[in-house]
Amino acid sequence: MALNLCKSKLLNALLFTTMTSLSLATIAKVIPAEQLNLQELTPTEDQRLATVNMVQLLRRHYEKIPLNDQSSVKIFDRYLETLDPDRRYFLLQDISEFEKYRHKLDNDLKTGNLRHAFEMFNRYQARVKQHLLFNLKLLKRGVSRFNFAINETLETDRKNAHWTATHADQQSLWRKILKDRILRLRLAGKEDEEIVKLLTKRFNNQLNRLHQNNNEDAYQIFVNAFTQIYDPHTQYFSPRRAENFDINMSLKLEGIGAVLQSEDEYTKVVRLVNKGPADKAGQLKPADKIVGVGQGTDGEIVDVIGWRLDEVVELIRGKKDTIVRLEVIPSGSDTTGPGKVYSIKRDTVKLEEQSAQKKLFTIKEKGKSFKVGIIQIPTFYIDFKSAQAGEPEYKSTTRDVKRLLKELEKEKVDGLVIDLRNNGGGSLQEANELTGLFIKQGPTVVVKDSLGRVDTQEDPDGSIYYDGPMVVLVNRLSASASEIFAGAMQDYRRALVAGSQTFGKGTVQSIQPLNHGQLKYTLAKFYRVSGQSTQHQGIMPDIHFPAVYNTEEIGESSLPDALPWDTIKPVRHTPYQANIPEIMLLQKKHNQRIQLSPDFIYIQDQLNYQRELEKQTKISLNQKQRQEELQQRQEQRLAMENTFRKAKGKDTYKSYTDFEEAAEKESLKEQEDLPVEDDAYLFEAGNVLVDYVQLKQRIAANDSVF
């Protein structure tokens, strides 16, 4: 008996130190789907009719995509990718069974037959439950039964991985994923008992949510796999508006001011509302993944991996002036270590903070002073209700900028910077009218619809409100109306565009009601007066600054099936100069400055650090190696920070812990607008403007020296 007991203990130990398929199969036998006690979801008649209606409406889509076998293949692949993007749930045998539907989904959609799509979703739910039960069974045996001393690795980028062929292979993958999660929590300083409790709670919560899924959840996922083969902005919304793609928490609700979407098991940040609470706090960034939410400065952080998007949003929202803490895996962060915790004070986005604002600063160049005016435009806004009511003092971007231009004119500025960074767009009317402030007359933007009809927007008046030198500052989050304005300034050669490539959102959407829910679809495209589309490519600046955001993760070109960049016939317009003189010289002077700038050196170091981390797709499951890698990364990060602080004349941090604590305290402060001198990009835009002013002066004086 004692011998058998010893053998049993030895076997149990070996189960976690070896990687044989047999041992894994012994730990958790495969649970047949029919025994999982999951309700089989079936479509409704309303959903069937809505599907037929959608197919008919999408004939009006800008991109004329025929619904045939070729598009059926795309829908099939997109549906699988949406359900199981990391190929961890479905087995090869599941995919083989589904293959008979690969060329049938087009006909299913035309007739409203949703049976095959629901069959695939039900199988997916069964596999997810098997995964969760497997994890819970392993956790019952305790964290100490995992061997973190052996050399194992986990491939984190499984987008193109093969489907696992057997249950044993699948469970081997599941075990490694669980082991990585345990290791992350260990590296975050959590004890084994706490880890078991936390992960058990997480997986039980996910099981409960799995049982709460209904036919609307299944329907929404499938039809959006269909609609988004047209383009990323064509989307079905359920009657309850519980869409799993993006929820805007920005203007009317008290919260943090962020647009979120579901991605795999995570809640991903799409963008931050300019001047909103999260934007002011300065820590949360687009493409970050939220994995936990805590209330107050010391409330328990609730694990939200696998939660529905609307449930995560409810946790993040709250009363003004209260604190919410977000546990985040930063975009491009070190995959070997734990996440970060950011504290954000909830607030509403105030209209006055969304309004255009001005700044003024002086740059000294070779003994001469230049006054630089700045107008920051967070969004293209207009109070439609007040305007329609005939109120004389209604607020709008153009009206506010007119007033600011008059104020700057009194200051006798030598040039103007229009700051459109992070401006996600807004009113097309305002983009058109704002363009008109800087040109005397002419077309501003062209809109082409799905029938090929072209509508050209014109400058609404024949006057010009500012005719001096200008720089338009943009970045990857400058989108839509921002791109229309920046593109017009570039095409008229009215201003230098500086910064990085913009977002590339050059399409127009319309929302149409269905018998069941709504359909948002793309019906037109924007074009610049030069005939170039703003879609996909965005605006390429004249003077390139280092790009902060990874274009593979953020921007229209990062989205699957985004409509392409193209051109139409240019519309007649008269540029203000034959060309922007000496662009290469201006770029050279910019490059020389940033090579000596502590701010830009620090920015470039951060970018290099992040890009190096993004290349790492295979991580070690050996605790000692992970700890060493984490320590190395922290030392590298601390050295970067201290080098920057030293160059700026600030005290350095003695340890990485000191740095982390300082960053946490800083996030709790109300972040005021940075002085221009502390905003590296804005200050450099001013330098580029001064170079441009001097160049124009020398050309006018026939002086070749610069």
Side-chain angles (χ1 to χ4, degrees):
M1 182 73 176
L3 179 62
N4 288 337
L5 182 60
C6 289
K7 283 183 177 179
S8 174
K9 288 182 177 178
L10 178 62
L11 176 60
N12 284 336
L14 287 172
L15 291 178
F16 289 87
T17 59
T18 62
M19 295 182 61
T20 63
S21 299
L22 177 62
S23 64
L24 288 168
T26 305
I27 296 170
K29 292 182 180 179
V30 177
I31 303 170
E34 60 270 16
Q35 296 178 20
L36 289 174
N37 193 29
L38 274 170
Q39 178 186 0
E40 185 171 310
L41 302 178
T42 56
T44 66
E45 179 63 16
D46 280 344
Q47 290 167 346
R48 188 191 73 79
L49 291 173
T51 304
V52 174
N53 195 359
M54 252 184 281
V55 170
Q56 294 170 345
L57 278 173
L58 285 171
R59 292 173 183 166
R60 307 178 197 168
H61 191 279
Y62 186 88
E63 194 80 346
K64 303 298 184 185
I65 297 177
L67 195 52
N68 54 22
D69 283 358
Q70 185 177 353
S71 54
S72 178
V73 170
K74 284 192 73 173
I75 297 164
F76 179 85
D77 289 338
R78 175 66 64 84
Y79 188 35
L80 286 178
E81 182 184 349
T82 304
L83 291 174
D84 191 7
D86 292 326
R87 304 193 172 196
R88 72 172 68 162
Y89 299 124
F90 286 129
L91 288 164
L92 186 59
Q93 71 184 56
D94 297 322
I95 305 303
S96 298
E97 286 181 42
F98 298 154
E99 278 295 321
K100 59 181 176 286
Y101 305 138
R102 181 177 285 276
H103 296 96
K104 290 183 178 180
L105 295 180
D106 56 325
N107 295 322
D108 285 351
L109 287 160
K110 290 172 184 175
T111 60
N113 176 17
L114 300 167
R115 183 169 52 86
H116 300 144
F118 271 68
E119 179 188 325
M120 293 169 70
F121 186 85
N122 286 325
R123 180 76 59 86
Y124 157 75
Q125 289 218 116
R127 294 297 186 214
V128 172
K129 186 165 184 178
Q130 287 175 339
H131 178 215
L132 295 172
L133 293 174
F134 176 86
N135 285 345
L136 289 168
K137 197 163 188 177
L138 292 190
L139 283 173
K140 279 184 180 179
R141 295 177 175 267
V143 170
S144 61
R145 306 296 288 277
F146 287 85
N147 187 339
F148 293 99
I150 60 174
N151 291 322
E152 285 188 291
T153 59
L154 173 66
E155 177 61 57
T156 58
D157 184 3
R158 291 185 47 81
K159 300 294 183 186
N160 299 311
H162 295 294
W163 303 100
T164 49
T166 67
H167 286 287
D169 291 338
Q170 186 182 60
Q171 290 168 12
S172 178
L173 172 64
W174 290 349
R175 178 185 63 83
K176 286 185 177 184
I177 293 170
L178 178 59
K179 191 174 179 181
D180 173 56
R181 287 176 172 172
I182 293 168
L183 191 48
R184 286 174 183 271
L185 292 170
R186 274 190 169 185
L187 293 174
K190 297 191 183 298
E191 299 294 331
D192 287 355
E193 185 177 342
E194 186 183 3
I195 291 171
V196 171
K197 183 179 178 181
L198 190 153
L199 290 178
T200 298
K201 184 178 180 180
R202 175 189 297 178
F203 298 138
N204 278 321
N205 284 340
Q206 290 180 23
L207 275 174
N208 291 335
R209 283 170 176 76
L210 194 70
H211 283 276
Q212 291 169 12
N213 280 342
N214 55 39
N215 56 24
E216 192 59 41
D217 297 309
Y219 178 67
Q220 193 164 246
I221 290 173
F222 172 64
V223 294
N224 276 314
F226 158 51
T227 61
Q228 293 197 333
I229 71 165
Y230 288 84
D231 82 308
H233 308 289
T234 295
Q235 183 179 9
Y236 165 77
F237 296 120
S238 71
R240 297 183 332 190
R241 310 293 294 168
E243 62 271 17
N244 290 329
F245 290 88
D246 61 28
I247 290 181
N248 191 324
M249 304 189 305
S250 57
L251 297 177
K252 295 183 180 179
L253 294 169
E254 293 176 348
I256 64 170
V259 179
L260 308 176
Q261 72 178 29
S262 290
E263 183 177 278
D264 306 341
E265 296 178 307
Y266 298 100
T267 300
K268 179 180 175 181
V269 179
V270 178
R271 67 179 176 87
L272 303 179
V273 176
N274 213 333
K275 302 292 186 179
D279 182 42
K280 287 181 180 180
Q283 291 185 306
L284 195 67
K285 304 294 182 187
D288 286 354
K289 293 177 181 176
I290 298 171
V291 298
V293 181
Q295 307 301 327
T297 55
D298 56 2
E300 177 190 359
I301 291 184
V302 178
D303 185 280
V304 296
I305 295 177
W307 282 36
R308 293 167 62 114
L309 183 62
D310 53 332
E311 293 174 323
V312 178
V313 170
E314 284 303 312
L315 280 184
I316 295 174
R317 286 177 180 155
K319 292 183 179 179
K320 179 181 175 181
D321 295 329
T322 59
I323 299 295
V324 62
R325 284 163 39 249
L326 304 181
E327 184 177 355
V328 168
I329 299 176
S331 167
S333 69
D334 187 347
T335 54
T336 66
K340 308 287 185 185
V341 176
Y342 300 151
S343 296
I344 301 171
K345 184 184 285 188
R346 298 180 177 104
D347 201 352
T348 52
V349 179
K350 302 176 180 67
L351 180 59
E352 59 269 22
E353 291 181 334
Q354 285 282 287
S355 300
Q357 306 287 334
K358 82 170 189 303
K359 289 183 177 181
L360 185 68
F361 74 108
T362 301
I363 290 179
K364 292 185 178 180
E365 178 74 17
K366 295 179 181 178
K368 187 177 180 182
S369 294
F370 294 86
K371 275 190 177 181
V372 176
I374 297 169
I375 296 180
Q376 296 173 306
I377 304 176
T379 185
F380 285 83
Y381 53 89
I382 180 172
D383 185 346
F384 281 111
K385 186 175 180 181
S386 297
Q388 289 172 349
E391 295 181 17
E393 300 301 322
Y394 70 87
K395 283 189 72 64
S396 77
T397 302
T398 307
R399 283 172 163 243
D400 286 344
V401 171
K402 275 184 184 179
R403 173 178 52 80
L404 297 175
L405 286 172
K406 287 181 181 178
E407 293 173 6
L408 289 172
E409 185 181 10
K410 291 178 182 177
E411 298 283 353
K412 297 182 179 179
V413 295
D414 294 291
L416 178 67
V417 175
I418 300 288
D419 185 1
L420 296 180
R421 289 174 299 167
N422 305 331
N423 184 321
S427 166
L428 173 62
Q429 173 185 324
E430 286 304 303
N432 176 46
E433 293 190 5
L434 186 70
T435 301
L437 298 184
F438 303 100
I439 63 173
K440 189 168 184 180
Q441 61 183 6
T444 59
V445 66
V446 179
V447 182
K448 179 184 173 187
D449 69 14
S450 59
L451 299 176
R453 295 176 298 198
V454 171
D455 176 38
T456 302
Q457 302 284 314
E458 297 274 344
D459 176 5
D461 63 47
S463 57
I464 187 167
Y465 286 82
Y466 175 77
D467 62 359
M470 283 176 61
V471 167
V472 177
L473 181 60
V474 295
N475 67 3
R476 188 60 170 171
L477 297 180
S478 305
S480 196
S482 294
E483 295 173 296
I484 291 170
F485 175 78
M489 294 298 96
Q490 193 175 59
D491 290 339
Y492 275 96
R493 302 191 192 103
R494 179 64 190 83
L496 274 172
V497 177
S500 55
Q501 182 182 7
T502 61
F503 193 92
K505 168 68 165 65
T507 54
V508 185
Q509 284 72 43
S510 173
I511 293 180
Q512 292 292 323
L514 304 166
N515 67 295
H516 183 76
Q518 295 177 320
L519 176 68
K520 181 182 74 170
Y521 68 101
T522 298
L523 55 90
K525 224 173 170 182
F526 291 125
Y527 291 86
R528 297 160 57 168
V529 294
S530 61
Q532 299 178 66
S533 171
T534 60
Q535 169 63 19
H536 201 281
Q537 179 175 283
I539 306 299
M540 303 302 291
D542 300 304
I543 307 298
H544 291 263
F545 288 11
V548 174
Y549 299 106
N550 185 345
T551 55
E552 293 182 5
E553 285 194 0
I554 297 169
E556 191 80 3
S557 60
S558 71
L559 303 175
D561 293 306
L563 296 188
W565 178 87
D566 63 347
T567 61
I568 60 173
K569 184 179 179 181
V571 292
R572 183 173 294 178
H573 64 286
T574 304
Y576 280 73
Q577 49 191 323
N579 52 54
I580 300 288
E582 301 291 353
I583 284 285
M584 296 300 292
L585 178 59
L586 293 172
Q587 182 73 54
K588 181 180 178 182
K589 287 180 70 66
H590 158 72
N591 292 342
Q592 289 171 341
R593 265 192 307 271
I594 67 172
Q595 286 172 7
L596 301 174
S597 162
D599 294 281
F600 276 97
I601 291 170
Y602 178 62
I603 290 166
Q604 193 59 57
D605 285 345
Q606 286 184 309
L607 293 175
N608 294 339
Y609 173 80
Q610 181 174 327
R611 285 164 187 163
E612 191 62 35
L613 293 178
E614 288 169 353
K615 295 176 185 177
Q616 183 181 354
T617 62
K618 186 173 286 188
I619 58 175
S620 172
L621 299 177
N622 179 295
Q623 183 166 344
K624 183 180 178 183
Q625 184 176 339
R626 282 278 280 272
Q627 185 69 55
E628 289 173 351
E629 290 173 356
L630 177 60
Q631 186 174 349
Q632 182 183 0
R633 296 296 188 191
Q634 289 178 345
E635 289 172 356
Q636 186 180 353
R637 184 71 183 84
L638 179 63
M640 238 190 315
E641 186 68 26
N642 280 338
T643 299
F644 171 66
R645 293 180 68 82
K646 190 174 180 181
K648 299 288 282 187
K650 298 179 179 180
D651 293 337
T652 58
Y653 296 115
K654 293 180 180 178
S655 68
Y656 187 79
T657 302
D658 290 344
F659 167 53
E660 291 262 275
E661 289 176 354
E664 174 69 13
K665 289 177 183 177
E666 192 66 26
S667 72
L668 292 172
K669 296 179 182 177
E670 183 69 20
Q671 297 288 321
E672 300 295 336
D673 285 340
L674 287 172
V676 173
E677 292 78 7
D678 289 340
D679 185 336
Y681 283 84
L682 190 54
F683 187 72
E684 178 56 20
N687 281 319
V688 170
L689 176 65
V690 169
D691 287 345
Y692 185 38
V693 169
Q694 288 182 298
L695 182 62
K696 289 174 74 71
Q697 289 173 350
R698 296 188 192 284
I699 289 173
N702 256 341
D703 187 348
S704 61
V705 180
F706 184 53

